[in-house]
Amino acid sequence: MRTQKMVPAITLDPSYFKQKTNNTVDHHHQHENIVIEEIKGLIKVYKDGHVERPQIVPCVTAAVADPELGVTSMDIVIDRFTNVSSRFYVPKRHGMNSMKKLPLLVYFHGGGFCAGSTAWSCYHEFLAKLAAKAGCVIMSVNYRLAPEHPLPAAYEDGLRALVWLKQQAFCERGGEENNQWWSTQCDFSRIFLVGDSAGANIAHNVITRLLCSGTILLPLIIKGVILVQPFFGGEARTSSEKYYYMVQPRHSVLNLAASDTYWRLALPAGSNRDHPWCNPLANGSCFGSDSVAMMVCISELDILKDRELEFCAAMARAGKNVETVVYRGVGHAFQVLDKSMLAQTRCHEMIAHIKAFVENN
């Protein structure tokens, strides 16, 4: 039985906080049930399975966008049975470039598998900017969350999104009617799987499943994978995890206690952090083919830094070509949750690195 864990609050930039006027709580329910897991401000899980997620980050509609970016955005349901949807971003183009089809980034948001949404304002703003600056169409997948849907649900949703995308590509080839406002802009032979934090873990596990199973997704061709601060774990603590054990990392939204809680909620019952979905270096892990390029983006002040560097080193030992970028002076999820001048500078650098990686692959 899980014991109650009171995890220190995760610190977000003040501009992302809002009054939780819409988050009403049944007080009778609150007093009658025991909280067995909690990350303050993000998720509270009761013994009877009831889950509360305060709206700590505002949600926005697809229509909300910076007009200067010139990006069109729309939500599309891709699986009515599971209610999985995607938010698409298509940048406006001018002149001769308007005829050239664009790479497609399939993006998975972060949140420890338990929180987050494609509608979170921070992701909406970041992905609209990424689409405009990097010149890519983006498909942001709103996958199912744990603990209601523990892993591998998120991985299955990622694979399902690619199968749906394959169907759209066939429709486009055959001239059949589909969501042409975005599909006519896409070069389906240049697909990149991208994600941050838990989303990066999803991207890694989705490409691993595809490569190790030999699954064919033609006419889709996956050219690369971009892992931004990938959320990995393990029973043995790394140096960066030990260093930040008692202290919230400066300019970082993830602490060790919250990380452990996310894994307890997301992994199958009875699993520990050496489960291969959590620890990609565990025995039996498959890295698949080296035909897919990879870039890993790491934050210097992230508790996950050492684990991510170990992952990159293991990939290199396995003969994989991995581009590693370390962003100095910033922490976990800085590109979406830190409004400081330094974080904004590093965010522009990250977008430039993603753009270059896509153009070179």
Side-chain angles (χ1 to χ4, degrees):
M1 182 180 293
R2 290 171 171 158
T3 58
Q4 183 173 349
K5 298 287 183 180
M6 297 302 292
V7 178
I10 288 182
T11 304
L12 299 183
D13 187 279
S15 63
Y16 283 113
F17 280 88
K18 64 180 284 187
Q19 292 294 324
K20 298 191 260 303
T21 54
N22 296 325
N23 188 47
T24 56
V25 178
D26 185 331
H27 292 287
H28 175 73
H29 177 97
Q30 186 179 34
H31 289 297
E32 289 295 317
N33 288 281
I34 300 171
V35 176
I36 57 172
E37 297 283 9
E38 180 178 6
I39 300 176
K40 202 168 184 181
L42 282 174
I43 188 168
K44 186 181 289 187
V45 182
Y46 291 88
K47 188 176 181 180
D48 68 352
H50 176 70
V51 178
E52 292 174 2
R53 292 183 179 88
Q55 196 172 323
I56 194 169
V57 178
C59 289
V60 297
T61 67
V64 177
D66 183 345
E68 293 185 3
L69 292 175
V71 173
T72 302
S73 179
M74 184 180 293
D75 292 326
I76 299 175
V77 175
I78 61 176
D79 190 319
R80 297 191 180 280
F81 180 74
T82 58
N83 202 34
V84 172
S85 63
S86 286
R87 179 166 292 188
F88 283 82
Y89 299 85
V90 180
K92 185 179 294 184
R93 294 178 293 159
H94 306 279
M96 297 295 292
N97 288 332
S98 62
M99 300 302 293
K100 184 180 179 181
K101 293 198 173 186
L102 301 176
L104 174 61
L105 274 54
V106 180
Y107 195 95
F108 303 99
H109 67 77
F113 305 104
C114 302
S117 167
T118 57
W120 270 16
S121 61
C122 55
Y123 278 109
H124 187 69
E125 294 164 8
F126 173 69
L127 293 179
K129 187 184 302 182
L130 179 61
K133 303 297 184 184
C136 299
V137 176
I138 297 178
M139 174 187 181
S140 178
V141 182
N142 207 38
Y143 54 88
R144 290 171 293 170
L145 299 178
E148 301 96 322
H149 305 284
L151 295 175
Y155 306 151
E156 292 167 352
D157 292 345
L159 291 167
R160 190 174 293 112
L162 291 175
V163 171
W164 178 88
L165 202 57
K166 175 180 177 178
Q167 295 169 345
Q168 304 308 302
F170 272 123
C171 289
E172 183 62 35
R173 273 189 167 188
E176 299 177 28
E177 183 179 352
N178 64 352
N179 295 289
Q180 294 196 14
W181 72 275
W182 66 270
S183 63
T184 55
Q185 310 297 312
C186 293
D187 181 351
F188 288 105
S189 68
R190 296 188 67 206
I191 307 291
F192 293 81
L193 301 187
V194 192
D196 70 286
S197 194
N201 178 294
I202 295 170
H204 168 69
N205 278 284
V206 167
I207 193 63
T208 297
R209 286 184 172 209
L210 289 173
L211 294 176
C212 293
S213 66
T215 301
I216 303 298
L217 285 173
L218 293 174
L220 303 186
I221 299 177
I222 298 177
K223 302 293 287 185
V225 180
I226 303 171
L227 308 181
V228 179
Q229 303 136 358
F231 185 44
F232 296 138
E235 286 297 304
R237 301 298 191 190
T238 65
S239 296
S240 58
E241 288 172 341
K242 292 175 182 176
Y243 182 79
Y244 289 120
Y245 182 73
M246 297 298 294
V247 181
Q248 179 83 17
R250 183 168 56 92
H251 302 305
S252 192
V253 300
L254 183 67
N255 59 50
L256 191 59
S259 174
D260 288 351
T261 302
Y262 282 136
W263 284 119
R264 284 195 299 273
L265 294 175
L267 287 171
S271 303
N272 66 19
R273 293 189 305 274
D274 280 333
H275 191 289
W277 294 340
C278 174
N279 186 353
L281 305 185
N283 291 336
S285 294
C286 171
F287 290 137
S289 168
D290 60 358
S291 62
V292 177
M294 179 178 287
M295 180 169 73
V296 181
C297 301
I298 300 171
S299 296
E300 182 184 26
L301 304 181
D302 192 349
I303 65 169
L304 302 176
K305 178 186 70 174
D306 288 349
R307 195 170 295 283
E308 292 160 352
L309 290 171
E310 288 177 1
F311 169 79
C312 293
M315 294 288 280
R317 289 194 298 271
K320 314 302 177 185
N321 184 18
V322 181
E323 181 179 341
T324 304
V325 185
V326 179
Y327 297 91
R328 304 295 179 187
V330 288
H332 194 80
F334 73 86
Q335 72 281 0
V336 289
L337 294 175
D338 188 343
K339 288 294 189 181
S340 70
M341 288 298 294
L342 176 60
Q344 293 305 297
T345 298
R346 295 290 182 260
C347 182
H348 289 308
E349 292 172 359
M350 177 182 286
I351 289 174
H353 291 146
I354 292 174
K355 176 183 170 77
F357 179 83
V358 171
E359 289 177 346
N360 292 331
N361 291 283

